Amino acid sequence: MPLYFEEVAPDPKAKKERDAKQQRPAILVERKGPPPAPMHLESQVIPTLIRKVGDWKTGRISQAMCEAYLDRHTLVFDRELLTKLFKEADYQKEGSLDTRALTIAIAGRFPKREHTPEWRLLTALLLGLPELVLTTDAEVTTLRTTHERPVGGGTYNSGNFWDSPPPPLPPVRRRTGSGRSTVGKVTAHEPSPEWLDT
């Protein structure tokens, strides 16, 4: 069955709509729903990343492993940028990153490192998160402290449980060699009763 293709003139309205979309100023995307929960880097992010992408026996991630994971799950990330990321993070020139080098790359501890935001973007992409938020981030820390201690004063922990002293503990029941309890009896091994009040 032969196919016949006809040339159709482009619709002028479609071009105007496309131009209007291109001229529209960029609008910041507002997050809908709750913000992502902050994750601890050393105990949550790094082990999950190594388990998903890297070699869990050695605890290392190489660029080839990362590229294979991206290809396997059809995730899009610039390969040249990936090469730059691994080149910068692999400061010992071992060919792969251990947990320490990966932690340094994602955390952004060193301000001279150029690719910290890209590492966070890559990590969020590999973990399937919309955004990587760490517990050590400055915004998260200030948000957490303002939530715990609201601005405007007030007393913290005003309904304290320990307003009055706690009731005294019951005496310790110790068994002797004869099987009888020593409650209320002072033996040679116990301290004098005046030391029990302190």
Side-chain angles (χ1 to χ4, degrees), residues 5-73:
F5 296 100
E6 296 180 13
E7 256 187 61
V8 179
D11 188 16
K13 289 182 181 178
K15 185 177 181 184
K16 288 179 184 177
E17 290 174 4
R18 189 174 60 235
D19 291 341
K21 286 182 182 177
Q22 290 175 354
Q23 292 174 356
R24 190 178 306 156
I27 300 172
L28 295 175
V29 178
E30 290 186 22
R31 183 184 306 134
K32 294 181 180 177
M39 299 175 72
H40 191 260
L41 184 63
E42 285 87 5
S43 66
Q44 290 178 316
V45 176
I46 299 295
T48 308
L49 192 63
I50 288 176
R51 189 172 53 247
K52 286 179 106 175
V53 180
D55 184 14
W56 60 272
K57 291 181 182 177
T58 60
R60 301 183 79 80
I61 292 180
S62 68
Q63 182 179 351
M65 291 177 192
C66 193
E67 288 176 354
Y69 186 85
L70 290 171
D71 290 339
R72 186 170 53 243
H73 295 282

Side-chain angles (χ1 to χ4, degrees), residues 173-183 185:
R173 301 187 83 173
R174 294 189 181 128
R175 296 284 178 190
T176 59
S178 64
R180 295 186 179 173
S181 172
T182 60
V183 175
K185 300 177 186 174

Side-chain angles (χ1 to χ4, degrees), residues 99-110:
T99 56
R100 183 173 180 267
L102 199 58
T103 303
I104 290 171
I106 296 171
R109 292 181 188 162
F110 301 112

